[in-house]
Amino acid sequence: MRDMQAVQPQLIKRLNLRETRSSRSVLSIASATVVFVAVVWLGVEQVLSLKGDPALLVAPAELASRTASLATDTIPGALAAAGAVAALLGLALLVAAFSPGTKPRHIIENDRSAVVVDSEVLAAAVSRTARTAARLAPEQVASSVSRKRVDVRLRPGAGRSVDTNAIREAVEREMAGYGLRKPLAITFSTGSQGAVGA
C-alpha cells in the first residue's frame, strides 16, 4: 500500500504531462519528408546521369560545379542573407526539437488522479459567469484562455454600464473554485461597438 502511494504522485505527474504536452510528430514527419524527397531526387538524377538520359532538374555534375562556384559567382550580400535564413531555420528546428509542445489544456490540482481541462471549456465557463454577473446576453460576452491569462471582453451596448468589479469578483471566485495548478491572470476589456443590447 505504501509503495502504491509513493508511485501514484509520479504516475499522476506523468499523466498530466502527457495530457498537456503535444508531440512533435507533425514537424518530424514534415522534416523527414523534405529530406526523403531530396534524397530520392538526387538518386533519380544520378541514375539518369549514369544512363545518359536528360536530367529532371539539374544533372549531378552541373549541381556539383554550381555548388563549388557558389562563393565566387554569388553576390556576398545575397549569400550572407541565404546563410542567415538557413541558420535561423536550423535554430528554429532545434528549439522545436528540444522544447516541449503544449496543448491548450490546464492541470487541475488533484491528489487522487490526473485531471486536465481544455482552455475552450474554461473560456465558456468564464463567459457564462461574467454574463450572469453582468446580466448580458451570450453574444455580449466573449472570453479566451491562454497559458497564463484569461481575457474577458464585455460589450454591454451603447448607454449601458456594467459593474466591472462585481464581474471580476464573480470570475475570480469561479476560477478559484477550479483549483488550477497554475493560477491565471484575469483581464477585462469593455466596449459597446457592435454590441446588441438584450
Side-chain angles (χ1 to χ4, degrees):
M1 185 68 176
R2 287 182 181 176
D3 291 340
M4 186 62 181
Q5 289 175 346
V7 170
Q8 192 176 13
Q10 295 173 355
L11 178 61
I12 291 172
K13 183 178 179 182
R14 215 169 11 162
L15 290 172
N16 280 331
L17 285 175
R18 188 176 71 184
E19 291 300 318
T20 55
R21 300 284 173 88
S22 62
S23 70
R24 297 297 191 183
S25 58
V26 174
L27 184 60
S28 300
I29 291 170
S31 301
T33 302
V34 169
V35 172
F36 177 75
V37 168
V39 168
V40 168
W41 170 70
L42 287 172
V44 169
E45 294 289 14
Q46 186 65 36
V47 169
L48 290 174
S49 175
L50 291 174
K51 289 173 64 178
D53 294 336
L56 293 175
L57 296 175
V58 182
E62 185 182 350
L63 182 63
S65 66
R66 284 186 185 179
T67 304
S69 63
L70 194 62
T72 57
D73 294 347
T74 308
I75 300 169
L79 197 59
V85 169
L88 287 174
L89 180 61
L91 183 63
L93 288 173
L94 278 175
V95 169
F98 288 103
S99 63
T102 57
K103 294 179 182 177
R105 296 178 181 169
H106 299 269
I107 299 171
I108 293 178
E109 200 65 60
N110 191 309
D111 294 333
R112 296 173 55 192
S113 62
V115 182
V116 296
V117 62
D118 194 81
S119 292
E120 290 183 9
V121 174
L122 279 178
V126 167
S127 291
R128 185 189 67 239
T129 301
R131 77 171 174 258
T132 301
R135 296 181 181 174
L136 295 173
E139 63 272 11
Q140 293 178 290
V141 180
S143 301
S144 61
V145 178
S146 63
R147 288 179 58 198
K148 298 181 179 180
R149 198 171 67 194
V150 178
D151 294 314
V152 183
R153 294 173 299 284
L154 306 171
R155 296 181 298 158
R160 183 174 176 184
S161 62
V162 292
D163 186 354
T164 308
N165 290 331
I167 299 168
R168 179 182 293 276
E169 288 175 9
V171 170
E172 286 176 350
R173 271 197 312 271
E174 180 80 13
M175 293 298 295
Y178 295 142
L180 296 178
R181 178 176 290 177
K182 294 180 180 178
L184 304 175
I186 302 171
T187 61
F188 284 83
S189 61
T190 306
S192 59
Q193 187 176 2
V196 179

